[in-house]
Amino acid sequence: MIRVPQKRLLSAAAAVGFAVAGLTVAAAPAASAAPCTDIDVAVARGTGEPGTLGLIVGDPVFSAVQNRLRPRSVSGYRVDYPADLGEPASVQRGNTDLVNHVRSQAAACPQQRFVLAGYSQGANVVDNSIGISSDGAIVGGPIVATIPADLAPRIAAIVLFGNPIRAIGRSVTGTYQSRTKDYCALGDPICQFGGTNILAHLSYGNQADDAAGFVASKV
């Protein structure tokens, strides 16, 4: 079995992702600190992923969720973090920002509920934010903040794609397990130990409608 260094795998994924982005035209949703909508979708993009919420995963998933949940109002938030291989604290910065966003939105909008989405390195960000450590995983890191327990009931659903902790035998357990759908494409080396098909890691936009259906079943 061919084993490829982790950093090379991620660099290849980022490079192919940019190539895909150059050939794709898509309308991206606005992503900023959200108003008091019914549902706020906070998305942590993958390493080097272009797009508003993330061209490969975040943008198509947001659009699908928005369509599925009509007429309820849905806002999007782009987690503010480097998503960079060269930034040692990248995941920790995303972890902090995501938790701060949920806390501030929850305080400002008492009726708002949340959907958390993460792709690749962004899945590590979400993992950490719900108390599942990504330390030891590809582009992972230690937990620096978690969503407070009193806000847990307002996290309606979590969707993860190419989640690196799966390659080291971890998964989302506990409080959020029943509200989480974690996609790992066959052969994806980022989430499947021994996987060698880097193109599988770029295929998750195909799961946007399925993810939206899962979200709809939880809200």
Side-chain angles (χ1 to χ4, degrees), residues 18-81:
F18 278 113
V20 170
L23 297 172
T24 305
V25 178
S32 59
C36 290
T37 53
D38 296 322
I39 305 293
D40 182 55
V41 182
V43 182
R45 70 198 188 282
T47 302
E49 187 184 11
T52 303
L53 297 175
L55 190 62
I56 297 169
V57 170
D59 291 343
V61 167
F62 178 85
S63 294
V65 168
Q66 195 173 42
N67 289 335
R68 186 65 69 98
L69 295 186
R70 284 193 177 112
R72 284 172 285 188
S73 56
V74 181
S75 54
Y77 177 76
R78 173 187 170 111
V79 174
D80 185 9
Y81 87 114

Side-chain angles (χ1 to χ4, degrees), residues 6-7 10-11 14 47-48 82-88 90 121 138-139:
Q6 294 180 346
K7 202 156 190 174
L10 287 165
S11 298
T47 302
D84 187 351
L85 291 179
E87 170 55 67
S90 180
Q121 185 176 169
I138 297 174
V139 290

Side-chain angles (χ1 to χ4, degrees), residues 131-143:
I132 308 295
S133 177
S134 68
D135 202 16
I138 297 174
V139 290
I143 295 170

